[in-house]
Amino acid sequence: MGEIIKVGMADLKVGRAPDTLTTLGLGSCIGLTLYDPVTKIGGLVHYMLPDSTKLKNNTNIAKFGDTGIRELLRQVITLGANQRRLVSKIAGGACMFEMTGLSSVGHVGERNAEAAKTILRELRIPLIAEDTGLNYGRTVELSCATGDFLIKSVGKGSKII
């Protein structure tokens, strides 16, 4: 039995088989995994906002998609993953608030999901599965042994992507 490695909000962690990486309560946040199926090394970042460039001194790199995904990549490679073999999966990006008008706050989930896709394209890492959008929270688990990304939602059951 591997370790269950908990990833907090605005946090990232890496592990290898048989570890499982998990994060709770993804609303508009994104849980993004990087996984090397050969070395069975995986990583999970739980980021809250798409873009750190709006801030002058970003001390928490895991809080933002642009910096968090790159740091996750650095850490899985340091652990022994091969960037050319990495695949990614994402979950979250829900619209958690009913919005009126054109407030961008309501679309942060959508922007978070878009940021993941843009950065993965830049890094040439294929996004092979996603469970994003809609209006409910998700708890996710990445099995480093299999690469399965388990998504659990209250009242929606569980699924593996």
Side-chain angles (χ1 to χ4, degrees):
M1 250 334 256
E3 200 183 340
I4 302 280
I5 301 170
K6 287 187 173 31
V7 179
M9 188 183 254
D11 188 16
L12 59 85
K13 298 270 172 45
V14 295
R16 58 167 33 108
D19 296 338
T20 298
L21 296 155
T22 183
T23 194
L24 307 174
L26 290 167
S28 60
C29 297
I30 290 280
L32 178 142
T33 66
L34 295 177
Y35 183 70
D36 179 336
V38 176
T39 57
K40 299 193 181 311
I41 289 170
L44 175 63
V45 60
H46 176 158
Y47 68 86
M48 299 164 67
L49 296 165
D51 183 9
S52 68
T53 59
K54 312 268 186 291
L55 276 187
K56 286 202 172 46
N57 38 12
N58 171 22
T59 51
N60 183 354
I61 49 181
K63 188 174 182 176
F64 300 93
D66 60 344
T67 48
I69 296 168
R70 287 183 177 91
E71 176 59 18
L72 187 67
L73 174 62
R74 194 189 68 72
Q75 289 193 22
V76 293
I77 288 171
T78 300
L79 204 58
N82 181 323
Q83 184 167 350
R84 287 190 297 277
R85 287 194 302 254
L86 289 175
V87 292
S88 182
K89 297 180 182 181
I90 63 172
C95 184
M96 298 304 285
F97 310 100
E98 284 301 315
M99 297 309 291
T100 51
L102 297 172
S103 166
S104 64
V105 174
H107 303 291
V108 70
E110 207 176 290
R111 292 202 328 270
N112 274 339
E114 204 41 60
K117 292 170 188 174
T118 301
I119 294 157
L120 289 169
R121 269 194 304 273
E122 281 172 23
L123 298 171
R124 294 186 173 81
I125 297 170
L127 177 63
I128 59 170
E130 67 175 294
D131 182 43
T132 58
L134 302 176
N135 61 350
Y136 55 87
R138 297 161 172 91
T139 290
V140 297
E141 290 179 8
L142 172 67
S143 162
C144 290
T146 62
D148 286 349
F149 199 29
L150 174 67
I151 294 153
K152 298 186 273 195
S153 309
V154 175
K156 308 262 185 237
S158 304
K159 66 178 168 187
I160 290 174
I161 63 169

